[in-house]
Amino acid sequence: MDKKLKRKVLTASLVGSSIEWFDFFLYGTVAGLVLDELYFPSSDPIVGLMLAYLSFSLTFFIRPLGGVIFAHIGDKIGRKKTLVITLTLMGGGTVLIGLLPTYAQIGVAAPILLILLRLIQGLGLGGEWGGSLLLAVEYAPKGKKGLFGSIPQMGVPIGLVLGTFALTMMSLLPHEAFMAWGWRIPFILSAFLVVFGLWIRAGINETPDFEEAKKSGQVAKLPVVDTLKYHWREVLIAVGAKVVETAPFYIFATFVVSYATSTLAYDQITVLNSITIATIVTAIMIPIMGKLSDTIGRKKIYVIGCIAMILYAFPYFMLLSVGQDWAVILASVLALGIVWPPITAVLGTMFSDLFSTKVRYTGISLGYQIGAAMAGGTSPLIATWLLGQFNNAWSPIAIFIVVTAVISLIAVAFTERYSKDASVRRGA
């Protein structure tokens, strides 16, 4: 692959992924700061907050459907066309959320429309991740699959940085202005990012792997049927491996905003800044871990990350409990910048190694999105519920994080047995 094509492919994969996750995390952060008051008013603040997080969680449960729909298109027609549709859906839903009237203005129609737009976002995101990953992995030169597969994963921290930075800027406004219109600005301005992402992707050809599958007639008529009939074990492995990558992340990156500001009395901007700093470190560490996996193997890197997650679950909350600004920054940097990157950097490449080309989009999307629905979408809700049930004690949440890591360690133990690409064992 020449350098120009390499840059083009990686940029298309990264830019689209970053925009998708910017839209997604923007909502996740705003849910704990604004939406409970404006769209889910309640006499009990905990109930209002849980309803806001529930609207965040619902998207995760529509994502597997989006994964099936767009993975079908991706495995039948091609990766590139699918990615244009998913980005348009996600971006359009985000802009409309920024323009949506509040409960005080249109009553119960406001939360209904908000949930509808979130479901549209979820459909788009459900198909986006698999396409972005395969765009990178299926173009990867020999011996660089881990590095290429880690690039779209950088979209997660970059999207989060963009989202938290935008809200940090808006948080500098007086509280009344922020609540009235300031929080809407990042949603509306995301339209420019979407247009840029579509322009970048328009210049990319179909992946070599898919073109080869088409020429040889290895295109599944019903990818989801073939996947569930012949590759259900691999889907279950992917679901289990996804748990530790997604549940702790949403605790570290979204739940912590409301927890640290309301329960621990940290300043809102301090918490948002700590996440921004941490995710910058994450974006640097992910490709380093991806490149390292090409040398020592994906599974080894992943297992190291899982063990680190188990060891850090309790110290994370201990640091937050110190109450000093440096403590929340350090806690976030260690969680998102050191412990999490080894897991997320290799996750997508491990998934792609489990499935053959003709069902790869469907297989990785099902595993990823079902795992996200089970663990990611529910984790802020579960953490908030645990906090209420145990009088603001954080230890049950730490135990929850440990359990997610154990589940994923069990799942990843089966990856080599069912991998369709034995080179993953050599880190090729």
Side-chain angles (χ1 to χ4, degrees):
M1 181 192 296
D2 62 70
K3 290 184 179 180
K4 185 177 180 181
L5 179 57
K6 174 183 174 181
R7 286 196 300 268
K8 213 171 187 180
V9 167
L10 293 181
T11 300
S13 178
L14 177 60
V15 168
S17 177
S18 299
I19 293 170
E20 296 280 352
W21 288 108
F22 165 75
D23 292 348
F24 196 74
F25 290 130
L26 189 61
Y27 185 96
T29 306
V30 167
L33 298 175
V34 175
L35 300 184
D36 54 333
E37 293 184 36
L38 298 184
Y39 291 92
F40 303 98
S42 172
S43 57
D44 186 341
I46 292 292
V47 173
L49 183 60
M50 288 187 69
L51 287 173
Y53 278 137
L54 181 59
S55 69
F56 177 70
S57 302
L58 284 175
T59 308
F60 285 83
F61 294 103
I62 201 69
R63 277 167 60 176
L65 177 59
V68 170
I69 293 171
F70 293 112
H72 176 84
I73 298 172
D75 278 332
K76 287 276 290 181
I77 300 174
R79 296 16 174 161
K80 176 184 172 179
K81 293 178 182 178
T82 308
L83 287 171
V84 171
I85 300 171
T86 57
L87 186 57
T88 302
L89 277 178
M90 188 74 184
T94 301
V95 173
L96 290 175
I97 287 175
L99 299 172
L100 188 65
T102 65
Y103 185 92
Q105 294 170 319
I106 61 172
V108 72
I112 292 174
L113 289 173
L114 179 63
I115 290 172
L116 178 62
L117 291 173
R118 284 296 289 164
L119 294 179
I120 291 172
Q121 282 187 316
L123 285 173
L125 187 58
E128 165 65 25
W129 177 82
S132 289
L133 177 77
L134 294 186
L135 189 63
V137 169
E138 292 183 352
Y139 263 108
K142 186 176 180 180
K144 292 188 176 180
K145 188 183 287 186
L147 174 60
F148 271 57
S150 70
I151 298 302
Q153 296 298 85
M154 291 172 63
V156 179
I158 290 174
L160 184 54
V161 166
L162 291 174
T164 52
F165 177 75
L167 284 176
T168 299
M169 292 297 99
M170 292 300 101
S171 294
L172 297 176
L173 294 168
H175 180 71
E176 294 76 14
F178 176 76
M179 294 295 291
W181 55 267
W183 68 270
R184 298 179 181 271
I185 300 302
F187 285 86
I188 297 171
L189 292 182
S190 70
F192 294 101
L193 297 176
V194 173
V195 171
F196 176 67
L198 291 173
W199 174 71
I200 288 287
R201 286 183 171 177
I204 298 296
N205 294 325
E206 191 52 75
T207 69
D209 284 12
F210 184 77
E211 288 291 353
E212 185 178 335
K214 278 174 55 178
K215 288 178 182 177
S216 61
Q218 294 297 310
V219 177
K221 291 183 179 180
L222 291 172
V224 68
V225 174
D226 284 1
T227 302
L228 295 177
K229 185 175 181 179
Y230 301 111
H231 304 284
W232 60 269
R233 295 178 183 85
E234 290 90 332
V235 171
L236 289 179
I237 290 170
V239 170
K242 173 66 177 168
V243 170
V244 71
E245 192 259 0
T246 191
F249 179 84
Y250 286 104
I251 290 175
F252 298 151
T254 58
F255 166 77
V256 70
V257 176
S258 60
Y259 171 67
T261 54
S262 60
T263 304
L264 302 180
Y266 279 99
D267 180 71
Q268 177 178 308
I269 292 181
T270 299
V271 179
L272 292 174
N273 283 340
S274 73
I275 296 172
T276 301
I277 294 168
T279 45
I280 290 172
V281 177
T282 311
I284 295 170
M285 289 297 294
I286 285 176
I288 293 174
M289 293 295 105
K291 186 174 179 61
L292 185 60
S293 76
D294 286 322
T295 303
I296 68 174
R298 255 77 77 185
K299 182 176 178 180
K300 188 176 292 184
I301 294 292
Y302 181 90
V303 169
I304 289 172
C306 287
I307 293 172
M309 187 69 73
I310 291 171
L311 296 176
Y312 184 61
F314 282 83
Y316 172 71
F317 287 98
M318 292 176 184
L319 275 172
L320 290 179
S321 300
V322 170
Q324 300 293 318
D325 289 354
W326 65 264
V328 70
I329 294 172
L330 180 60
S332 297
V333 168
L334 290 175
L336 293 171
I338 304 299
V339 174
W340 190 67
I343 297 170
T344 195
V346 302
L347 189 75
T349 313
M350 282 203 312
F351 284 8
S352 69
D353 287 327
L354 288 169
F355 301 94
S356 59
T357 303
K358 69 177 184 179
V359 297
R360 187 173 290 152
Y361 202 145
T362 302
I364 65 173
S365 295
L366 277 175
Y368 188 92
Q369 303 304 348
I370 292 173
M374 291 176 60
T378 58
S379 61
L381 192 63
I382 290 172
T384 302
W385 179 79
L386 289 172
L387 209 60
Q389 288 294 306
F390 293 91
N391 298 317
N392 290 335
W394 52 260
S395 55
I397 305 174
I399 293 171
F400 172 66
I401 292 174
V402 170
V403 170
T404 65
V406 172
I407 291 172
S408 292
L409 282 172
I410 294 171
V412 81
F414 295 94
T415 53
E416 290 190 9
R417 180 180 301 180
Y418 294 104
S419 176
K420 294 293 180 290
D421 183 358
S423 64
V424 71
R425 293 191 287 271
R426 302 190 301 270

